[in-house]
Amino acid sequence: MTTPSTIPAAHRADVECLWDYHHMHHDIVPVDVGVGLGSHDLGVAKVATDLYHRGMYPTLVFTGANAPTTIETFPRGEAVHYREHAITHGVPADAILIDTQATNTGQNIENTRTLLAEHQVPARSVILMSRPYQQRRAYATCKKLWPEVDVICASHPLSLDDYLTSIGNTKKVMDMLVGDTQRIGKYAELGYAIPQHVPDEVRAAYARLVDAGYTSRLV
């Protein structure tokens, strides 16, 4: 039986292929600043809070306004809700900066740079925290717009199935996985991000999922 958090059997291998591709598999080490990218996923705030308490950075930035996929979950804005979660779970308010204006990943990066400069916070290295399947696009965008900074990508450490259960909407996640895969190539072509290698098996999995109708997040 298929439930809202179950991947259709015919598509599981393709979803797992894209899921693994978007994970950067970076080792987590201490950096100057943690940056939580806004989305529908509260896991961003959870991993940001955890890494702060593990001493991975002294300053934490949350960046994000709202998008059609987040307005119901975070009506006061993504960064605001993330900040509230972090403070509730022990992160000092004065360790957190927020940007409430960004509506895409490029603006997340640009606004974070501006915010840190305004507060005279040096940032030679950052941990970018995002949805698991946004890691590669976040990395490519950051290296285009902020090339001098050392970048580590991280997400709330959940398996694919546990992640789907936490979100509660497999179709939404599959559509967004497909959309992020398309953006890897398209955004590099448009100059929004640095190019990333896309293996043949990833291209094939993406094409099969598009043909199967997981297209609502394509641009």
Side-chain angles (χ1 to χ4, degrees):
M1 184 174 109
T2 299
T3 68
S5 59
T6 301
I7 301 169
H11 304 312
R12 171 167 279 277
D14 290 335
V15 173
E16 289 177 346
C17 179
L18 298 192
W19 174 263
D20 186 68
Y21 172 68
H22 287 287
H23 277 69
M24 297 299 289
H25 304 288
H26 286 161
D27 293 327
I28 304 302
V29 298
V31 296
D32 293 327
V33 179
V35 182
L37 306 181
S39 73
H40 63 272
D41 183 1
L42 188 61
V44 174
K46 292 177 180 178
V47 68
T49 299
D50 176 61
L51 293 181
Y52 177 86
H53 287 308
R54 287 168 53 189
M56 292 298 111
Y57 38 74
T59 302
L60 175 56
V61 176
F62 289 124
T63 166
N66 269 127
T69 56
T70 67
I71 187 68
E72 291 186 7
T73 305
F74 302 130
R76 293 185 302 283
E78 300 153 4
V80 172
H81 282 265
Y82 284 5
R83 179 180 184 272
E84 291 170 354
H85 176 91
I87 291 172
T88 298
H89 290 83
V91 178
D94 60 5
I96 304 172
L97 302 174
I98 64 169
D99 155 50
T100 62
Q101 303 301 311
T103 59
N104 59 55
T105 307
Q107 290 177 8
N108 289 144
I109 302 303
E110 291 174 336
N111 293 2
T112 294
R113 291 189 71 180
T114 299
L115 190 63
L116 292 171
E118 289 173 348
H119 287 81
Q120 298 182 322
V121 176
R124 297 169 298 273
S125 56
V126 300
I127 297 177
L128 285 185
M129 291 158 285
S130 67
R131 304 182 306 264
Y133 51 86
Q134 190 187 2
Q135 283 191 21
R136 185 171 293 277
R137 181 162 62 87
Y139 175 84
T141 304
C142 188
K143 292 306 290 183
K144 178 70 176 185
L145 299 177
W146 201 356
E148 68 274 20
V149 78
D150 291 330
V151 183
I152 296 170
C153 293
S155 300
H156 191 43
L158 294 176
S159 69
L160 172 58
D161 289 304
D162 286 344
Y163 183 78
L164 292 172
T165 298
S166 75
I167 299 299
N169 187 331
T170 292
K171 173 66 162 59
K172 178 180 182 177
V173 173
M174 290 175 67
D175 280 357
M176 296 188 81
L177 259 173
V178 170
D180 265 53
T181 305
Q182 180 203 35
R183 285 164 174 79
I184 293 296
K186 184 172 286 292
Y187 283 5
E189 292 172 1
L190 293 171
Y192 300 159
I194 65 168
Q196 296 283 283
H197 174 62
V198 183
D200 290 343
E201 62 268 25
V202 172
R203 295 182 187 276
Y206 164 79
R208 285 189 292 266
L209 290 170
V210 169
D211 288 345
Y214 294 96
T215 57
S216 74
R217 296 294 295 168
L218 294 182
V219 293

